[in-house]
Amino acid sequence: MKSIGFLGLGIMGKAMAANLIKAGFDVTVWNRNAAKCAELVALGARQGATPKDVAAHCDITFAMVSDPEAALALCQGPDGVAAGIGTGRGYVDMSTVDDITSKTIAGLITQAGGRFLEAPVSGTKKPAEDGTLIILAAGDPSLYDDVKPAFEVMGKMSPYLGDVGQGANMKLVVNMMMGGMLSIFSEGLSLGQKAGLDGQQILDIVDAGAMSNPMFKGKGAMLLNENYTTSFPLKHMQKDMRLAVALGDQLDQPLPTAAIANEAFKQAIKAGFGEEDMAAVYKVIK
Ligand code: NAP
């Protein structure tokens, strides 16, 4: 892999691309709002003009954008990845999307002669900065082998999950569980404090028992301090809940808990908290 393209320099993409540059890869970046490229160019990246341009000049191009609409927009049209990719080059979409979107993108890329891998990630801003993401890969096995050195820079593990769609499905399972946990955690903390219990003591007691986990530890402190500094935008968590509930519909899998948690995230977006961290769901619950 001589050269790498990176499309999408939001919270996650910026940190992931920076790690690739620091590891010595030859990286070309592109972002819809071009101003976000400057920081990466200062680290040593080149700046591409369009997704097509990046895909045409790099051996393997990665993408990390917000949602299914954005992921499709990157690939389609005269300036899209599919128009530039050409035979044998690779495209790795790391955005969180649903399996149908991922399969559509795979079709666009492979029809243009390219190879496709989906690789959504588990882990938020800090793991992206630390290079400790969990990368959920599925699709072209030869491309998976070729991108391993880059995955090793961005993540701590990168299991191969099979055909395109299975990485997306795994990611939705993980985030659906996380959204459900955050929602019930917010309810517990709200209920306890209304009953007169001390918030910190609630957190300490939960943390000492079988429910202790890094998310409750990290988000618990944020809830008590009313600090909603964004690591994972709430609007993206609601997108993941929505996609997981839709997958449940497709597969006739009842998801009553996830469906109700999704409603709490929808309320939080309606209340204007979509750009804040997912922890801000607490504000509508309490
Ligand atoms: P973010 O900070 O909101 O960044 C979103 C990126 O998508 C920006 O580069 C944005 O470009 C781009 N974008 C949006 N619509 C676009 C369009 N129509 N065409 C081209 N580019 C478009 O999001 P993020 O937190 O980095 O998340 C990126 C993806 O990773 C999402 O799928 C999210 O669910 C997933 N994820 C996030 C986390 C997390 O903790 N943050 C963790 C795991 C997975 P502009 O700058 O021009 O707006």
Side-chain angles (χ1 to χ4, degrees), residues 68-286:
E69 292 71 30
L72 277 169
L74 280 189
C75 291
Q76 294 168 325
D79 288 333
V81 172
I85 190 119
T87 307
R89 292 182 195 277
Y91 186 56
V92 184
D93 193 346
M94 306 187 79
S95 320
T96 305
V97 300
D98 56 294
D99 64 333
I100 295 169
T101 302
S102 202
K103 286 174 187 162
T104 305
I105 293 171
L108 291 169
I109 299 300
T110 51
Q111 276 159 30
R115 297 179 292 156
F116 179 74
L117 197 68
E118 64 179 358
V121 305
S122 183
T124 185
K125 184 179 177 205
K126 180 85 170 50
E129 289 168 351
D130 295 347
T132 56
L133 294 166
I134 299 166
I135 300 171
L136 307 169
D140 190 309
S142 73
L143 182 53
Y144 175 72
D145 290 341
D146 288 352
V147 296
K148 264 282 181 181
F151 281 171
E152 277 161 17
V153 168
M154 294 187 278
K156 64 177 175 186
M157 67 186 285
S158 50
Y160 179 74
L161 297 163
D163 292 338
V164 172
Q166 293 302 68
N169 290 337
M170 185 71 232
K171 172 63 188 165
L172 293 182
V173 167
V174 168
N175 271 29
M176 180 191 83
M177 290 168 64
M178 188 191 287
M181 282 171 69
L182 183 59
S183 173
I184 196 72
F185 182 58
S186 298
E187 289 183 17
L189 200 57
S190 302
L191 178 68
Q193 289 181 103
K194 288 226 168 84
L197 294 166
D198 176 68
Q200 189 56 52
Q201 266 189 325
I202 298 172
L203 295 183
D204 292 344
I205 288 164
V206 169
D207 189 47
M211 281 188 295
S212 172
N213 68 68
M215 185 183 75
F216 283 1
K217 252 201 227 325
K219 299 301 178 194
M222 290 174 74
L223 302 191
L224 280 194
N225 296 327
E226 299 273 343
N227 164 15
Y228 305 109
T229 307
T230 311
S231 282
F232 184 26
L234 187 143
K235 65 179 180 185
H236 292 336
M237 175 49 96
Q238 194 277 319
K239 174 252 312 179
D240 296 348
M241 298 302 282
R242 168 170 61 79
L243 296 177
V245 169
L247 185 62
D249 284 351
Q250 257 178 59
L251 301 177
D252 284 333
Q253 170 60 50
L255 299 172
T257 310
I260 289 173
N262 181 37
E263 293 302 318
F265 287 100
K266 279 161 66 180
Q267 278 173 8
I269 289 178
K270 194 156 178 248
F273 308 145
E275 301 296 332
E276 296 182 36
D277 191 74
M278 65 172 179
V281 74
Y282 180 64
K283 289 197 266 185
V284 293
I285 289 176
K286 80 176 178 141

Side-chain angles (χ1 to χ4, degrees), residues 4-92:
I4 287 184
F6 208 106
L7 313 174
L9 305 172
I11 295 171
M12 299 295 283
K14 177 180 138 185
M16 293 155 75
N19 282 337
L20 291 170
I21 298 164
K22 287 177 199 156
F25 288 101
D26 173 6
V27 180
T28 301
V29 295
W30 176 90
N31 192 67
R32 181 180 59 175
N33 169 2
K36 288 190 190 165
C37 294
E39 219 175 304
L40 283 301
V41 169
L43 285 179
R46 301 164 209 269
Q47 185 170 347
T50 59
K52 174 188 171 184
D53 173 53
V54 174
H57 288 99
C58 298
D59 296 321
I60 295 173
T61 298
F62 293 86
M64 188 54 156
V65 292
S66 40
D67 55 19
E69 292 71 30
L72 277 169
L74 280 189
C75 291
Q76 294 168 325
D79 288 333
V81 172
I85 190 119
T87 307
R89 292 182 195 277
Y91 186 56
V92 184

